[in-house]
Amino acid sequence: MTSFGTLSFFGAALVAFAVILVAREVSKARRRRAIIGFADTHSMDFSVYDIFDLVSRNDFPLFRTGDGRACENVVHGRWKNVECYEADFWYYTEYSSDSRRRTRRYTRFQIVVVPIEAYLPQLTVTRESMLARAAGHIGLGDINFESEEFNRQFAIKASDRAYAFKLIDARMIQWLLFLGTSFSFETSGQALLLYTRRSRPQEIGKLLEAGRQTLERIPRLIWEEYGIERTKEGPS
């Protein structure tokens, strides 16, 4: 290839790269505008960045996945009288190629974090295909329940097996089956987390509603044993 041909090739490559970058930024801006519109419509606050420190403040297994992670496009407020944080979450994993160049592979989710008045042990409910990435590093074996359908669709891991059976009662099992395997669910400390693969901003309301209704289905026994007032009082 002549010098002119080489220059033409690299010039075309640079133009193509620039077009991809511009298209990506346009897509990000369009998504952000749609999320801002959703927040305004529902009287909720919006922040481009994670000003609430959702990732560092909550010890969810998902938030420890990968070599780096962050939230963006955060929506915060009350959804049908329940405080919620909805956000775009991503993590990346770094790889080394044969040329010793480091590359990053990104995985993206939409999440909703719901603060709760309890101190809950760590638990994850994930679909089987996401187990290794999102929950496998808890280090405990799967917990099986009486529902074979539930066991086939979901993998449950918990730091406290007794807590898992108290939380995932028959009513919660039916609810999680209704939600389907597009959602995963975690508890840790004073919050619960629902997440799904990143989808259109128009689906934010569906995710917030799933978080609210999951909160409603936490069994009374959990509040009695792990509720903040109960833990302050200590054992009877």
Side-chain angles (χ1 to χ4, degrees):
M1 183 180 293
T2 64
S3 297
F4 178 76
T6 301
L7 290 174
S8 298
F9 172 80
F10 282 111
L14 286 173
V15 169
F17 182 68
V19 169
I20 292 172
L21 286 181
V22 170
R24 184 178 300 170
E25 290 304 312
V26 169
S27 177
K28 287 175 63 176
R30 184 183 299 119
R31 178 179 181 83
R32 186 163 293 158
R33 286 196 300 270
I35 295 173
I36 292 172
F38 175 91
D40 288 344
T41 298
H42 296 279
S43 301
M44 302 177 82
D45 298 321
F46 171 84
S47 174
V48 175
Y49 305 107
D50 182 15
I51 61 173
F52 305 100
D53 295 324
L54 295 175
V55 174
S56 59
R57 195 177 69 192
N58 295 287
D59 189 28
F60 295 115
L62 179 66
F63 289 175
R64 301 197 309 269
T65 305
D67 297 307
R69 61 209 63 81
C71 286
E72 59 188 5
N73 296 330
V74 182
V75 174
H76 170 247
R78 303 194 73 81
W79 177 261
K80 298 182 181 178
N81 208 35
V82 173
E83 183 183 13
C84 297
Y85 300 85
E86 191 278 338
D88 291 339
F89 170 81
W90 53 260
Y91 70 81
Y92 66 80
T93 306
E94 288 191 335
Y95 299 89
S96 295
S97 62
D98 294 337
S99 62
R100 296 182 180 179
R101 178 179 298 175
R102 302 289 291 179
T103 58
R104 291 179 175 179
R105 180 178 299 170
Y106 285 82
T107 305
R108 304 178 186 278
F109 298 95
Q110 274 184 264
I111 67 167
V112 60
V113 175
V114 182
I116 57 176
E117 294 295 314
Y119 294 103
L120 300 185
Q122 198 170 85
L123 173 142
T124 67
V125 178
T126 62
R127 66 180 187 266
E128 289 288 352
S129 62
M130 296 177 66
L131 177 61
R133 292 191 297 273
H137 55 283
I138 290 182
L140 299 176
D142 292 356
I143 300 173
N144 292 319
F145 294 79
E146 292 184 1
S147 170
E148 290 300 324
E149 181 183 3
F150 185 74
N151 292 335
R152 283 195 303 270
Q153 294 191 33
F154 296 96
I156 294 83
K157 288 179 174 284
S159 59
D160 182 337
R161 291 174 64 87
Y163 161 72
F165 286 110
K166 293 171 186 174
L167 177 67
I168 311 297
D169 64 358
R171 184 167 177 253
M172 183 66 81
I173 284 174
Q174 289 303 312
W175 168 243
L176 293 173
L177 285 171
F178 173 79
L179 281 180
T181 54
S182 61
F183 288 91
S184 293
F185 168 50
E186 299 185 2
T187 67
S188 183
Q190 291 184 257
L192 63 84
L193 167 73
L194 262 77
Y195 62 95
T196 185
R197 291 293 186 181
R198 185 171 298 186
S199 56
R200 299 176 302 165
Q202 292 87 337
E203 300 295 316
I204 291 176
K206 183 185 297 185
L207 182 59
L208 291 169
E209 183 62 16
R212 184 188 71 82
Q213 293 204 36
T214 301
L215 177 67
E216 285 189 349
R217 285 166 173 78
I218 292 179
R220 179 180 300 176
L221 179 62
I222 295 298
W223 300 115
E224 292 174 352
E225 294 194 17
Y226 300 93
I228 289 178
E229 293 303 319
R230 172 65 176 174
T231 54
K232 283 181 181 178
E233 294 172 1
S236 58

